[in-house]
Amino acid sequence: MHFTTIDELQQALAAHHYIADRPLTTAIFLALKLQKPLLLEGEAGVGKTEIAKTLARMQDRHLIRLQCYEGLDVNTTIYEWNYTRQMVQIRLIEALGAADAHAALNEIFSPEFLIKRPLLQAIEESWERPPVLLIDEIDRADEEFEAFLLELLSDWQISIPEIGTIRASQPPTVVITSNRTREIHDALKRRCLFYWIDYPSLDKELQIVNAKVPGASERLSRQVVAFVHELRKLDLFKLPGVAETLDWTTALTALDARELTADLVEDTLGAILKYQDDIAQVRGQGVRSLLEKVGM
């Protein structure tokens, strides 16, 4: 699916329950049109990962997800050799008495014995449509991992010493997310379009809740969003993101709640706050007083 205008893309995102304002839609539009990786930074839970999922879903493309963590290496992200199969093949060659040792060596380092990891899978020729590659929370990986990405993100190719260079005929759509626990190297940033996703406005977050949790009553949705926005004004260790807003609304709906009450908030704080100190602070602040601030 190709989008000729930003408005067309914005409508398609909304049809798939992703509410994006125009600046974010413009960044996505340019990433698709220019075939540039899109680097999204922002607090956890503001919808960065969901963009990749939505792009894959609405374009009927395969989503390849690489969840980053400390210690990622080539074997985990790009490829590794299937050593077990290689050993079996070597034993077979020895048993058959193959005379050409050089040819036998080349054989066991052929694509047949290659295990493709997410980054190599993303540039394979076999895709009918280029996939969406999600490199999630890159700031959790070591800085050395970013060096693995430079060749891929600039030339859409990967070099394997024993085989040569594998190049994508159609570049994948690449979305990279970061919670900014550390700075991303400039060399990687230069290869990407950048966009910072902030917490949404009250109206936008209400639209998101209505789209994602249609079973919630309008009154409950408004109260939840207003209460979460009030929480974000507090000095909490971890402010609730959009993901927590959606989780809380879903939980309250599962309890058949039609509106917030102090007791209901007390009982379900764990759906939006994930640290005991934060929960204690909110209770110390007084749930009833917070409810009064949001006009309840």
Side-chain angles (χ1 to χ4, degrees), residues 42-289:
E43 299 293 337
V46 293
K48 303 185 295 295
T49 300
E50 192 61 27
I51 288 178
K53 293 179 180 177
T54 304
L55 286 175
R57 195 164 55 244
M58 73 187 210
Q59 297 180 98
D60 193 21
R61 296 193 196 184
H62 190 78
L63 175 68
I64 298 175
R65 180 172 184 168
L66 176 61
Q67 182 65 50
C68 297
Y69 56 87
E70 188 176 353
L72 274 180
D73 58 14
V74 171
N75 289 346
T76 312
T77 60
I78 303 178
Y79 74 95
E80 67 176 319
W81 292 106
N82 189 331
Y83 296 117
T84 302
R85 283 198 61 197
Q86 286 178 319
M87 288 302 298
V88 171
Q89 187 68 14
I90 289 171
R91 296 287 182 264
L92 182 62
I93 291 170
E94 289 174 346
L96 295 175
D100 192 341
H102 183 71
L105 186 64
N106 285 339
E107 184 180 342
I108 64 171
F109 284 107
S110 64
E112 183 184 351
F113 295 90
L114 199 62
I115 299 174
K116 298 172 182 175
R117 299 304 186 193
L119 298 184
L120 186 54
Q121 291 172 12
I123 62 170
E124 276 191 302
E125 295 281 349
S126 58
W127 298 111
E128 184 179 345
R129 301 184 187 90
V132 175
L133 172 62
L134 168 63
I135 302 173
D136 210 11
E137 298 184 338
I138 192 172
D139 51 321
R140 288 179 178 271
D142 303 319
E143 292 184 13
E144 290 75 10
F145 169 67
E146 294 177 25
F148 298 153
L149 295 176
L150 298 182
E151 182 183 14
L152 174 68
L153 299 183
S154 58
D155 299 322
W156 306 112
Q157 66 181 34
I158 287 173
S159 298
I160 299 177
E162 298 87 350
I163 294 179
T165 299
I166 297 176
R167 181 177 289 109
S169 57
Q170 298 183 82
T173 297
V174 180
V175 176
I176 304 172
T177 74
S178 167
N179 294 332
R180 210 173 190 180
T181 57
R182 67 170 177 82
E183 282 294 327
I184 306 303
H185 197 279
D186 286 346
L188 181 64
K189 285 186 173 180
R190 280 199 301 272
R191 288 161 170 79
C192 302
L193 292 171
F194 173 81
Y195 191 85
W196 172 268
I197 300 183
D198 211 340
Y199 292 117
S201 66
L202 196 146
D203 286 343
K204 181 182 174 184
E205 191 156 4
L206 182 58
Q207 290 181 54
I208 295 170
V209 170
N210 289 337
K212 293 285 190 181
V213 195
S217 71
E218 180 66 19
R219 178 174 175 77
L220 178 67
S221 299
R222 285 186 177 279
Q223 290 176 337
V224 165
V225 171
F227 192 89
V228 169
H229 275 248
E230 202 61 37
L231 288 181
R232 289 181 188 145
K233 297 175 183 175
L234 302 180
D235 184 23
L236 301 176
F237 180 74
K238 171 66 176 71
L239 298 177
V242 178
E244 282 74 34
T245 306
L246 295 172
D247 285 347
W248 194 28
T249 310
T250 302
L252 293 168
T253 304
L255 295 173
D256 297 325
R258 306 292 295 176
E259 63 179 353
L260 285 183
T261 65
D263 289 342
L264 194 55
V265 173
E266 288 270 6
D267 292 344
T268 56
L269 273 177
I272 43 175
L273 301 174
K274 309 300 179 181
Y275 291 87
Q276 179 55 31
D277 288 348
D278 288 346
I279 292 174
Q281 182 179 342
V282 170
R283 284 178 173 153
Q285 188 87 9
V287 170
R288 290 184 190 281
S289 68

